[in-house]
Amino acid sequence: MKRIEREKVIRNAYRSTILALTICCIFLGAVLVIHEAAREYEVKVLERELEAKGVVQNDEGLFAGVQLFLPERIYVASGVTLELYNSQLSSLGERIHSYNVKWTCAVGRNMQRKFSVTGTQELLGSYPLIFTVFDDNGAQVARASTELKIVPALEDSFSLLTIGDSLSCDPATYERLTELTGGGIVYMGTRGVGGSLTEARRGYSAADYLSETGYTLEEPEEEVHPFYDEESGSFDWAYYKETTGFDPDAVEVFLGTNGLAVDPVENGDHIVQIVKNIHGNDPKLPIYLVHTLYPASQDGIGSWRNKEGYALYGDRYKYEEDQKVFDLMIYLETSLAGEENLYFVPAGICHDSANNFDTETEPVNPHSEKTIEVPKDAVHPGRAGYLQIADCLYSVICGTKAEWER
């Protein structure tokens, strides 16, 4: 009898163990299924994000991170040559030279490092423009497209007020715009650049225009800039118009270089705030938002000095600086998408940062007779650069001015 009871106990224990193990297996299986489903979902989300950024999966299943930017539309005014530089519309920067690229368009020139097109009366109209990147096996890595519009030159006069930093403080831009418009442009502002009026201040960032900031780098000095309203404690377009009497037909906002950072949000949001404030008071006023420029080469970045001889960009390098400009450009385009009466000016991709900075000759090393040309400045181009900025701004105005009267 005792033996039968022992066997019964053993059988019950065995069954309990089997049942417990079965339950554990079922539980572990359910956990693995849930984990695998979550992993697959994460992978799908990542793939969607990468596809949205123009990132392509290659045959080996690896991701090649190539992000391209082209604005929705590129305007080229009759009589102007505009160029788009490969390294400045790609997240790769100068590393894009390791890829094979091509421009496809019925007009213009598909060149090694750029696309170049000259506007003429005979070519007025719209053309698809496609930029494609290939690897060494001929596989497409990334592709971007836009509408190229060749538009007539301006015939009407208008007034323009520029809110900017030191990149708006060179007279060459204003001289070129005056030339292109046949003198049909009136500049407004409380400060002067050459013979033109403006609201450009060296060293200013968008954050400076939003706060109670003085200006002492040039005469006349200011205790605070004229956009600052003590009552609101910030930038106020209505206050500026009331106190200065200026009421321009259009505004140019050219900011971003001062305040550039790896994370574009803070600097970008300050620029957005200025745009929103102007349109909050003057919703139909056309605003031309100019994307800031890419810096000079690494030689220019590393050699830039202040008057005392200290390095201004001593710890910076070309690729990261290019990324800052690229990311700010993308952030502004995204943040202000759909903003009415706002027009982006793609100066960042249309300025030849490889060749437009003034240089000085120096030996390749202290004891060599061989010399090289080294940029003297990392941020401010020579005259040719400011002329290219003017050509780009003028082309966008030519292509959009008809919308002002709508």
Side-chain angles (χ1 to χ4, degrees):
M1 185 68 182
K2 290 182 179 179
R3 184 175 62 83
I4 294 173
E5 289 178 354
R6 282 200 304 271
E7 289 177 353
K8 185 177 180 181
V9 169
I10 291 170
R11 282 196 301 271
N12 289 338
Y14 176 76
R15 288 170 182 164
S16 297
T17 302
I18 295 297
L19 179 61
L21 289 173
T22 302
I23 291 172
C24 287
C25 289
I26 293 171
F27 176 75
L28 289 173
V31 170
L32 288 172
V33 168
I34 293 171
H35 176 74
E36 182 63 20
R39 190 190 69 80
E40 289 179 0
Y41 174 75
E42 290 177 356
V43 169
K44 289 179 180 179
V45 170
L46 177 61
E47 287 176 349
R48 285 198 297 270
E49 290 176 352
L50 292 170
E51 288 173 3
K53 292 183 176 181
V55 178
V56 179
Q57 190 173 19
N58 63 25
D59 294 337
E60 289 74 33
L62 304 175
F63 288 97
V66 182
Q67 188 178 2
L68 303 179
F69 166 75
L70 279 175
E72 183 180 351
R73 196 167 289 109
I74 297 284
Y75 294 102
V76 184
S78 180
V80 166
T81 296
L82 205 71
E83 297 189 331
L84 310 177
Y85 297 92
N86 301 347
S87 64
Q88 292 165 194
L89 55 90
S90 163
S91 60
L92 290 168
E94 294 179 334
R95 294 188 299 175
I96 200 170
H97 301 315
S98 300
Y99 290 78
N100 303 290
V101 304
K102 74 170 182 177
W103 290 93
T104 305
C105 192
V107 297
R109 296 188 292 163
N110 171 27
M111 303 179 73
Q112 182 177 0
R113 67 184 187 96
K114 64 185 180 181
F115 175 78
S116 180
V117 59
T118 301
T120 65
Q121 286 295 118
E122 294 74 22
L123 294 178
L124 295 181
S126 298
Y127 306 88
L129 175 62
I130 303 168
F131 180 68
T132 314
V133 182
F134 303 92
D135 64 19
D136 285 339
N137 296 318
Q140 180 178 307
V141 175
R143 181 178 182 271
S145 61
T146 184
E147 177 189 13
L148 177 70
K149 291 198 71 171
I150 299 179
V151 295
L154 281 180
E155 295 182 355
D156 303 326
S157 61
F158 66 98
S159 56
L160 179 71
L161 186 145
T162 297
I163 303 170
D165 51 33
S166 56
L167 291 175
S168 301
C169 288
D170 193 285
T173 298
Y174 304 98
E175 292 168 2
R176 176 62 172 165
L177 287 171
T178 299
E179 175 191 350
L180 289 168
T181 60
I185 184 170
V186 177
Y187 301 104
M188 292 184 172
T190 60
R191 306 197 65 84
V193 174
S196 306
L197 294 177
T198 181
E199 291 293 352
R201 291 166 177 81
R202 299 181 189 277
Y204 254 49
S205 66
D208 290 320
Y209 280 108
L210 292 171
S211 58
E212 190 176 4
T213 310
Y215 187 62
T216 59
L217 293 182
E218 297 172 304
E219 296 290 341
E221 295 185 355
E222 300 169 337
E223 290 187 9
V224 63
H225 61 82
F227 296 98
Y228 184 78
D229 179 17
E230 288 187 3
E231 227 176 272
S232 63
S234 186
F235 179 101
D236 192 304
W237 177 247
Y239 171 81
Y240 173 84
K241 289 205 303 181
E242 181 183 347
T243 54
T244 64
F246 292 124
D247 190 8
D249 294 321
V251 169
E252 174 195 4
V253 176
F254 192 179
L255 295 165
T257 290
N258 301 309
L260 269 181
V262 173
D263 184 348
V265 173
E266 183 176 4
N267 192 20
D269 283 348
H270 290 152
I271 296 172
V272 170
Q273 189 174 338
I274 289 173
V275 170
K276 295 285 189 181
N277 182 276
I278 294 173
H279 273 165
N281 290 281
D282 221 338
K284 293 186 177 180
L285 181 66
I287 299 176
Y288 289 87
L289 181 56
V290 185
H291 287 308
T292 197
L293 305 185
Y294 285 85
S297 66
Q298 183 59 48
D299 285 346
I301 292 170
S303 301
W304 198 22
R305 300 283 187 270
N306 64 14
K307 292 179 180 178
E308 289 74 35
Y310 291 98
L312 290 170
Y313 276 10
D315 64 339
R316 303 189 187 186
Y317 61 101
K318 174 66 172 169
Y319 178 69
E320 184 176 65
E321 295 307 299
D322 284 355
Q323 283 290 295
K324 292 176 184 178
V325 174
F326 184 85
D327 290 344
L328 178 62
M329 184 166 56
I330 298 294
Y331 185 79
L332 290 173
E333 292 270 346
T334 303
S335 299
L336 289 167
E339 179 81 10
E340 294 185 0
N341 302 309
L342 174 70
Y343 307 99
F344 291 102
V345 179
I349 65 175
C350 295
H351 170 258
D352 189 358
S353 64
N355 296 293
N356 276 345
F357 290 89
D358 291 339
T359 62
E360 55 189 1
T361 305
E362 62 178 51
V364 294
N365 66 62
H367 301 287
S368 177
E369 294 183 359
K370 186 178 179 180
T371 61
I372 55 173
E373 294 296 316
V374 176
K376 298 187 290 185
D377 194 306
V379 171
H380 309 95
R383 181 175 177 81
Y386 292 108
L387 299 182
Q388 274 195 308
I389 295 168
D391 287 350
C392 189
L393 173 59
Y394 171 74
S395 292
V396 179
I397 293 174
C398 287
T400 58
K401 190 173 183 297
E403 298 176 13
W404 297 5
E405 288 79 31
R406 290 182 183 177

